[in-house]
Amino acid sequence: MHYLSTRGGIAPIGFAEAVTMGLATDGGLLVPAELPRVDASTLTRWSSLDFRELALELFTPFVGAAIPRHDLSALIERSYASFTHPEVTPVVARGDLRLLQLFHGPTAAFKDIALQFLGNLFEYLLAREGGRVNILGATSGDTGSAAIQGLRGKERIQVFILHPKGRISAIQERQMTTVLDANVHNIALRGTFDDAQRIVKSLFEDLPFKSAYHLGAVNSINWVRILAQMVYYFFAWGRISGGDPERRLSFSVPTGNFGDVFAGYLARRMGLPVERLVIATNRNDILTRFVHTGVYAVGEEVHRTLSPAMDIQIASNFERYLYYLHEGETGRVRALLEAMRKTGRLQVEPAHHAQVQLDFSAAAASDAETLEQIAATFAASGDILCPHTAVGVHAARGVPDCVCLATAHPAKFNEAVREAIGREAAPPPSLRGLLDKEVRCVELDATVDAVRGHLESRLGAAA
Ligand SMILES: *Cc1c(COP(=O)(O)O)cnc(C)c1O
């Protein structure tokens, strides 16, 4: 399988290169040159596979000859051995609520599903092809800890994660800073998340520095993150349908950077019988407005909500959807992005907007509605939802046969849970005792120079 850029500006590359390239060199996002079709008899056969076997089948055409099947299988085994539930992503049904639980990994949020695999894949490719990589990222909470857990202790990889000091929850901070492996470097920045992102971006734009220090990224535009997230859509469908290819299901997906729901969209394009994909957003509702109006327009600022992993202005994977919406016409994609860059908004043609409304429905939930949903679900079934999941369950109201993606364990967000139902969710083992553990973290001023100097001193005068 080859990979292309959504902006049409690179020669086709193979899977291994796509994994390490992250962002395409023309500024676009990488997409597979074609999508394999999954026919009805394959769907039926896949429905009896367990999560790991299914991942192997699904990944194989995308990986192509880049990794021998036996090695790919071993990478998948290792990646999902860190999950505490035997089914990895179980579907739990209570009454007419179906939850696809994605939080049984080491950091209790769905990003583990992709980042456990991506960490092992990086290590494997670097060992085979030589070289090393220094991962640099900024986090507002969940991504940093999932990246650290995916990369800790890996050969040939150092990981530097910036978080805004005092502006993430105590649990989220400890999930990162209590990881003491020598290759993990936590940096508490005296500034905001926007400062952290700006610093990371400018270090990546400093091309001589980037190449001398082998900087790499694991953020949500990495193709492997999308690929790994497709597995659980097929898995949930198989468990619920029993393999009946006539059976259609809908999925409601709490959405920020558009990575998770985009994986569902590609699964449907491959042939998974999906009726409706519901984009669920919080007050930061740029995607919901896009589905309703065909206009994608940046609002004035990012609002802080009870579902912080979805407090995002610009959804970084949206460009991939534009590419598929325009059937791979990269000139159209470039024109729309250019309009976006100049004016802060883009608008798709009426015919394309009609297609958007066939592809997705969308709804936003306020913080009050989020709390109300946590309380209503708890009263009805005893299940405690995390606030992100609650946004998705709220958006799924009235959608028949809908599977709601449960993206984080509620104990990660117990402040919101307590506010909704007056008690807290019991933490899973991975979140217990964090406040008593030893921590390691350096504090830096929120300047590019301070962070660059820190990288140089830790990595030695490279080049
Ligand atoms: C990251 C995250 C989301 C949003 O996922 P996207 O792929 O960015 O749309 C939703 N819920 C939780 C708990 C998350 O950590």
Short mmCIF file of all heavy atoms in Angstrom, two decimals, residues 137-140 162 164 189 192-204 219 257 311-312 314:
data_model
loop_
_atom_site.label_atom_id
_atom_site.label_comp_id
_atom_site.label_asym_id
_atom_site.label_seq_id
_atom_site.Cartn_x
_atom_site.Cartn_y
_atom_site.Cartn_z
N GLY A 137 6.07 16.77 22.10
CA GLY A 137 4.64 17.06 22.01
C GLY A 137 4.17 17.95 23.13
O GLY A 137 4.82 18.06 24.18
N ALA A 138 3.03 18.61 22.89
CA ALA A 138 2.38 19.42 23.92
C ALA A 138 1.06 18.75 24.25
O ALA A 138 0.43 18.16 23.38
CB ALA A 138 2.12 20.83 23.40
N THR A 139 0.66 18.83 25.51
CA THR A 139 -0.59 18.17 25.88
C THR A 139 -1.43 19.07 26.77
O THR A 139 -0.91 19.84 27.57
CB THR A 139 -0.31 16.83 26.61
OG1 THR A 139 -1.55 16.15 26.80
CG2 THR A 139 0.36 17.04 27.95
N SER A 140 -2.75 18.95 26.60
CA SER A 140 -3.66 19.61 27.53
C SER A 140 -4.21 18.57 28.49
O SER A 140 -5.12 18.85 29.26
CB SER A 140 -4.79 20.29 26.77
OG SER A 140 -5.48 19.34 26.01
N LEU A 162 5.41 18.54 26.92
CA LEU A 162 5.20 19.83 27.58
C LEU A 162 3.75 19.91 28.07
O LEU A 162 2.83 19.65 27.27
CB LEU A 162 5.41 20.97 26.58
CG LEU A 162 6.81 21.49 26.28
CD1 LEU A 162 7.74 20.36 25.85
CD2 LEU A 162 6.75 22.54 25.19
N PRO A 164 1.07 22.62 30.44
CA PRO A 164 1.01 23.92 31.11
C PRO A 164 0.91 23.72 32.62
O PRO A 164 -0.03 23.07 33.11
CB PRO A 164 -0.26 24.55 30.54
CG PRO A 164 -1.11 23.40 30.09
CD PRO A 164 -0.19 22.27 29.75
N LEU A 189 5.46 23.78 31.88
CA LEU A 189 5.75 25.09 31.31
C LEU A 189 5.03 26.18 32.10
O LEU A 189 3.85 26.04 32.40
CB LEU A 189 5.23 25.08 29.87
CG LEU A 189 6.00 25.77 28.79
CD1 LEU A 189 7.43 25.28 28.72
CD2 LEU A 189 5.31 25.52 27.46
N THR A 192 0.48 28.74 29.23
CA THR A 192 -0.78 28.06 28.89
C THR A 192 -0.53 26.93 27.89
O THR A 192 0.57 26.77 27.37
CB THR A 192 -1.75 29.06 28.22
OG1 THR A 192 -1.13 29.49 26.99
CG2 THR A 192 -2.02 30.26 29.09
N PHE A 193 -1.58 26.18 27.61
CA PHE A 193 -1.48 25.13 26.59
C PHE A 193 -1.15 25.74 25.23
O PHE A 193 -0.36 25.17 24.47
CB PHE A 193 -2.79 24.33 26.53
CG PHE A 193 -2.82 23.36 25.39
CD1 PHE A 193 -1.89 22.33 25.30
CD2 PHE A 193 -3.77 23.47 24.39
CE1 PHE A 193 -1.91 21.44 24.24
CE2 PHE A 193 -3.79 22.58 23.33
CZ PHE A 193 -2.86 21.57 23.24
N ASP A 194 -1.73 26.89 24.93
CA ASP A 194 -1.43 27.56 23.66
C ASP A 194 0.06 27.89 23.55
O ASP A 194 0.67 27.74 22.48
CB ASP A 194 -2.25 28.84 23.49
CG ASP A 194 -3.70 28.52 23.18
OD1 ASP A 194 -3.98 27.39 22.74
OD2 ASP A 194 -4.55 29.40 23.40
N ASP A 195 0.68 28.33 24.67
CA ASP A 195 2.12 28.58 24.67
C ASP A 195 2.87 27.29 24.33
O ASP A 195 3.81 27.30 23.51
CB ASP A 195 2.60 29.08 26.05
CG ASP A 195 2.05 30.46 26.40
OD1 ASP A 195 1.86 31.26 25.47
OD2 ASP A 195 1.83 30.71 27.60
N ALA A 196 2.46 26.21 24.97
CA ALA A 196 3.15 24.93 24.75
C ALA A 196 3.06 24.52 23.28
O ALA A 196 4.05 24.12 22.67
CB ALA A 196 2.54 23.85 25.65
N GLN A 197 1.87 24.65 22.71
CA GLN A 197 1.68 24.28 21.31
C GLN A 197 2.49 25.17 20.37
O GLN A 197 3.06 24.69 19.40
CB GLN A 197 0.20 24.39 20.96
CG GLN A 197 -0.46 23.04 20.95
CD GLN A 197 -1.80 23.07 20.28
OE1 GLN A 197 -2.57 24.01 20.47
NE2 GLN A 197 -2.10 22.05 19.53
N ARG A 198 2.50 26.44 20.69
CA ARG A 198 3.25 27.39 19.86
C ARG A 198 4.75 27.05 19.87
O ARG A 198 5.41 27.08 18.83
CB ARG A 198 3.00 28.81 20.40
CG ARG A 198 3.74 29.93 19.68
CD ARG A 198 3.35 31.31 20.26
NE ARG A 198 3.39 31.37 21.73
CZ ARG A 198 4.50 31.46 22.46
NH1 ARG A 198 5.68 31.47 21.88
NH2 ARG A 198 4.43 31.53 23.78
N ILE A 199 5.27 26.71 21.03
CA ILE A 199 6.70 26.39 21.15
C ILE A 199 7.02 25.12 20.36
O ILE A 199 8.00 25.06 19.60
CB ILE A 199 7.09 26.24 22.64
CG1 ILE A 199 7.02 27.61 23.30
CG2 ILE A 199 8.47 25.61 22.79
CD1 ILE A 199 7.09 27.58 24.81
N VAL A 200 6.18 24.11 20.51
CA VAL A 200 6.41 22.86 19.77
C VAL A 200 6.38 23.13 18.27
O VAL A 200 7.24 22.67 17.51
CB VAL A 200 5.35 21.81 20.16
CG1 VAL A 200 5.37 20.63 19.20
CG2 VAL A 200 5.60 21.32 21.58
N LYS A 201 5.39 23.89 17.84
CA LYS A 201 5.25 24.19 16.43
C LYS A 201 6.49 24.92 15.91
O LYS A 201 7.02 24.58 14.84
CB LYS A 201 3.99 25.04 16.22
CG LYS A 201 3.58 25.20 14.79
CD LYS A 201 2.08 25.56 14.70
CE LYS A 201 1.68 25.82 13.27
NZ LYS A 201 1.92 27.21 12.83
N SER A 202 6.98 25.90 16.67
CA SER A 202 8.11 26.64 16.11
C SER A 202 9.39 25.80 16.11
O SER A 202 10.23 25.97 15.24
CB SER A 202 8.27 28.01 16.78
OG SER A 202 8.79 27.86 18.05
N LEU A 203 9.53 24.85 17.04
CA LEU A 203 10.69 23.97 16.97
C LEU A 203 10.60 23.02 15.78
O LEU A 203 11.61 22.72 15.14
CB LEU A 203 10.85 23.19 18.29
CG LEU A 203 11.31 24.05 19.48
CD1 LEU A 203 11.28 23.27 20.78
CD2 LEU A 203 12.71 24.61 19.24
N PHE A 204 9.40 22.58 15.44
CA PHE A 204 9.24 21.74 14.26
C PHE A 204 9.48 22.52 12.97
O PHE A 204 9.93 21.97 11.97
CB PHE A 204 7.85 21.09 14.22
CG PHE A 204 7.77 19.80 15.01
CD1 PHE A 204 7.08 19.74 16.20
CD2 PHE A 204 8.41 18.67 14.56
CE1 PHE A 204 7.02 18.57 16.94
CE2 PHE A 204 8.36 17.48 15.28
CZ PHE A 204 7.66 17.43 16.49
N ASN A 219 1.23 13.11 17.36
CA ASN A 219 -0.09 13.72 17.55
C ASN A 219 -1.13 13.13 16.61
O ASN A 219 -0.84 12.24 15.82
CB ASN A 219 -0.01 15.25 17.45
CG ASN A 219 0.68 15.68 16.17
OD1 ASN A 219 0.89 14.87 15.29
ND2 ASN A 219 1.04 16.93 16.09
N ASN A 257 -10.51 16.49 17.76
CA ASN A 257 -9.66 16.64 16.58
C ASN A 257 -10.16 15.83 15.39
O ASN A 257 -9.47 15.73 14.37
CB ASN A 257 -8.23 16.22 16.90
CG ASN A 257 -7.37 17.42 17.22
OD1 ASN A 257 -7.54 18.48 16.63
ND2 ASN A 257 -6.46 17.26 18.15
N ASP A 311 -11.89 20.39 23.83
CA ASP A 311 -11.83 21.86 23.76
C ASP A 311 -10.85 22.26 22.67
O ASP A 311 -9.69 22.60 22.94
CB ASP A 311 -11.41 22.45 25.12
CG ASP A 311 -12.48 22.28 26.17
OD1 ASP A 311 -13.61 21.88 25.80
OD2 ASP A 311 -12.20 22.52 27.35
N ILE A 312 -11.32 22.18 21.45
CA ILE A 312 -10.45 22.37 20.29
C ILE A 312 -11.13 23.29 19.29
O ILE A 312 -12.33 23.18 19.05
CB ILE A 312 -10.12 20.99 19.68
CG1 ILE A 312 -9.06 20.31 20.55
CG2 ILE A 312 -9.67 21.10 18.25
CD1 ILE A 312 -8.89 18.86 20.30
N ILE A 314 -9.69 24.04 15.94
CA ILE A 314 -9.50 23.53 14.58
C ILE A 314 -9.26 22.03 14.68
O ILE A 314 -8.34 21.60 15.35
CB ILE A 314 -8.26 24.18 13.94
CG1 ILE A 314 -8.43 25.70 13.88
CG2 ILE A 314 -7.99 23.58 12.59
CD1 ILE A 314 -9.02 26.19 12.60
#
